[in-house]
């Protein structure tokens, strides 16, 4: 119980301090550009709790989930394939560097022309931007597989899918999940940006509409919603990561205790 309270104090301490400072600095001000904390919370519930949650928030979360999921699956599979082959790495590295240097938002008009201005375009934009951290981390994780383990697998006749399943994936898993952690905020950013173009629903669409109508408190409430989604995604990922890498963190705890 004591550890839980300490963890809660660390997690909530800085946000509480920042909100208090925000409230203190906004006392007596009449600025229409920055709402007070209490006003923002009231506006948040009025704007997002109700019909708009189903018409804007859920579609955005769906696009984010599909686009990021495609990026994670494709990045992991391609990363394993390329990481296992030195020749394939040398063959693909220049083209990866080329596409990685292109900001995905620049491709939105091109995707719109090629795919159409529907949800598929937004999903492709999210996947095209979020795949790189997963792909590159997976390649490096596979490359860093212990050579002694590799030789041992070969001497025991473990090849192909069995080697990937029982040696490569467990060894590369910490780095693969590090890439997934980096991909999640990129997916959220691209979700918002893609919805600012050729869209009639979603968080990005709503925020840009609020800004154009000079509805400042509503615009801030949309930004608050994005921040809360980011926290929720991070908490869910940390829980899943701790379950998948339970052996890894247990090993770290033993090493730190010794």
């Amino acid at each position: 119980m004591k550890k839980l309270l300490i963890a809660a104090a660390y997690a909530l301490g800085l946000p509480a301090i920042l909100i208090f400072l925000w409230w203190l600095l906004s006392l007596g001000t009449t600025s229409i550009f920055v709402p007070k904390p209490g006003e923002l919370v009231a506006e948040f519930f009025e704007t997002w709790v109700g019909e708009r949650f189903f018409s804007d928030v859920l579609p955005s979360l769906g696009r984010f989930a599909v686009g990021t999921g495609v990026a994670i699956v494709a990045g992991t599979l391609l990363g394993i394939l390329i990481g296992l082959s030195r020749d394939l790495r040398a063959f693909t590295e220049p083209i990866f560097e080329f596409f990685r240097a292109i900001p995905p938002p620049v491709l939105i008009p091109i995707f719109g022309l090629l795919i159409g201005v529907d949800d598929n375009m937004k999903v492709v934009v999210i996947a095209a931007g979020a795949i790189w951290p997963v792909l590159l981390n997976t390649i490096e994780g596979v490359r860093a597989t212990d050579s002694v383990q590799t030789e041992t697998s070969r001497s025991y006749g473990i090849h192909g899918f069995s080697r990937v399943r029982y040696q490569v994936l467990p060894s590369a898993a910490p780095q693969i999940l590090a890439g997934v952690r980096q991909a999640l905020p990129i997916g959220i950013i691209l979700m918002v940006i893609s919805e600012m173009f050729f869209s009639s629903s979603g968080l990005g669409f709503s925020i840009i509409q609020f800004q154009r109508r000079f509805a400042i408190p509503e615009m801030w409430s949309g930004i608050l919603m994005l921040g809360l989604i980011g926290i929720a995604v991070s908490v869910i990922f940390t829980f899943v990561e701790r379950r998948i890498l339970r052996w890894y963190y247990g090993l770290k705890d033993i090493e730190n205790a010794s």
Side-chain angles (χ1 to χ4, degrees):
M1 185 64 183
K2 183 180 176 183
K3 290 178 68 176
L4 187 63
L5 291 174
I6 292 174
Y10 274 113
L12 301 176
L14 184 57
I17 291 171
L18 292 176
I19 292 172
F20 175 74
L21 287 175
W22 180 7
W23 172 79
L24 197 64
L25 292 173
S26 63
L27 283 177
T29 64
T30 57
S31 172
I32 60 172
F33 298 109
V34 181
K36 296 176 181 178
E39 295 172 354
L40 178 58
V41 171
E43 189 62 51
F44 176 84
F45 283 100
E46 186 176 338
T47 303
W48 299 105
V49 178
E51 185 182 348
R52 191 179 289 277
F53 180 82
F54 298 97
S55 63
D56 288 318
V57 179
L58 287 185
S60 291
L61 292 178
R63 293 164 193 147
F64 166 73
V66 175
T68 311
V70 169
I72 292 171
V73 173
T76 304
L77 293 177
L78 281 174
I80 292 172
L81 192 65
I82 296 168
L84 290 173
S85 170
R86 185 178 301 174
D87 293 336
L88 198 53
R89 284 201 303 273
F91 183 68
T92 55
E93 189 171 0
I95 199 71
F96 282 170
E97 292 298 331
F98 174 81
F99 281 109
R100 194 175 62 157
I102 300 175
V106 174
L107 299 175
I108 291 178
I110 297 174
F111 286 145
L113 290 173
L114 296 177
I115 303 172
V117 291
D118 53 10
D119 284 352
N120 292 331
M121 182 272 288
K122 300 174 184 65
V123 169
V124 170
V125 169
I126 295 169
I131 192 173
W132 298 108
V134 183
L135 176 62
L136 298 178
N137 274 277
T138 304
I139 292 173
E140 291 305 314
V142 173
R143 284 183 61 189
T145 302
D146 188 78
S147 58
V148 175
Q149 288 183 3
T150 302
E151 290 301 322
T152 305
S153 298
R154 285 175 181 162
S155 65
Y156 278 94
I158 302 173
H159 301 288
F161 178 76
S162 295
R163 178 171 167 252
V164 173
R165 166 69 179 83
Y166 295 107
Q167 186 213 343
V168 175
L169 267 181
S171 175
Q175 200 147 350
I176 294 173
L177 289 174
V180 174
R181 180 180 286 278
Q182 296 170 25
L184 293 174
I186 294 175
I188 294 177
I189 292 168
L190 291 176
M191 174 194 78
V192 175
I193 294 175
S194 67
E195 289 172 350
M196 290 178 173
F197 299 89
F198 315 124
S199 186
S200 59
S201 67
L203 276 165
F205 168 78
S206 295
I207 290 173
I208 203 71
Q209 290 299 311
F210 290 146
Q211 186 263 332
R212 287 173 180 168
R213 298 201 319 257
F214 214 65
I216 303 300
E218 288 88 344
M219 184 187 73
W220 275 91
S221 72
I223 296 170
L224 177 61
M225 173 62 82
L226 285 174
L228 293 176
I229 289 174
I231 292 174
V233 169
S234 176
V235 169
I236 293 171
F237 173 78
T238 301
F239 174 77
V240 173
E241 182 190 37
R242 285 276 172 181
R243 299 287 294 179
I244 295 175
L245 297 181
R246 190 164 39 188
W247 59 272
Y248 175 76
Y249 286 110
L251 192 62
K252 287 290 182 185
D253 290 340
I254 293 172
E255 288 176 355
N256 293 334
S258 61

